Amino acid sequence: PEKDEKTTPARKGLSAFMRMKLEASQKVLAGLALEDFELIQEGAEKLEEMSAAEKWRVTKDPLYREHSVDFQRLAQRLVKNGKEGKLEASALTWIEMTMQCIECHKWSRANLIVDAPAR
C-alpha cells in the first residue's frame, strides 16, 4: 500500500519545523505589541537560526533560494533593530518579513513544494 505523502516522516518533520517558525514569529509580534525588545530579539534570532538550518532548504530552485536569502537578511535586520531598541524600524522590518513569508508560501504552493491550505 502507498503511503500518503502528507504522513511521511519528512513531511511531518517539515510541518513541525514550520510550527516552530510560527512560534518564533509570534514571539516577535508579542515583543512589538509590548515594546519588549528582548522578545523581539529572541524571536528574530530563532528565525535567523532556523533559516540557516538544513530543513529550511526544501528545494534548490533559484527563486526559492532568493526568497530564503531575503528572509535571512530581514531576520538579521530585525535582530539588529531589536538590539538597538528601535520599535518603528522593528515593526517595519516585521511587516516586510511577514510579506516575504506570504510570498514564499504562495510561490511554494504554486510550485507544488507545499500543499494548498485546507478550506
Side-chain angles (χ1 to χ4, degrees):
E2 283 186 39
K3 232 183 180 181
D4 182 3
E5 179 70 20
K6 295 177 188 175
T7 62
T8 64
R11 287 299 290 250
K12 285 182 178 179
L14 183 58
S15 180
F17 184 78
M18 294 308 283
R19 287 280 172 208
M20 289 171 46
K21 179 182 162 203
L22 183 59
E23 289 170 11
S25 298
Q26 290 170 336
K27 201 171 269 193
V28 172
L29 182 57
L32 290 168
L34 300 170
E35 292 189 44
D36 183 332
F37 295 103
E38 285 183 32
L39 264 180
I40 293 169
Q41 190 178 335
E42 188 179 325
E45 286 173 346
K46 183 66 176 175
L47 290 168
E48 183 180 14
E49 173 189 314
M50 291 179 76
S51 70
E54 190 60 36
K55 276 188 181 178
W56 187 273
R57 292 167 187 73
V58 295
T59 180
K60 293 182 186 213
D61 182 272
L63 202 50
Y64 176 82
R65 203 168 331 153
E66 186 177 322
H67 283 297
S68 189
V69 167
D70 288 345
F71 183 89
Q72 290 170 332
R73 177 183 49 80
L74 290 165
Q76 291 165 356
R77 187 184 332 151
L78 188 56
V79 169
K80 181 179 183 287
N81 291 338
K83 283 181 182 177
E84 294 174 357
K86 296 180 177 177
L87 184 64
E88 288 79 11
S90 294
L92 289 172
T93 302
W94 175 245
I95 291 168
E96 284 185 73
M97 283 184 84
T98 301
M99 291 306 299
Q100 183 62 39
C101 288
I102 291 167
E103 287 302 314
C104 186
H105 280 252
K106 181 178 165 184
W107 179 88
S108 296
R109 282 190 299 276
N111 290 283
L112 304 177
I113 293 173
V114 298
D115 296 326
R119 300 210 187 257

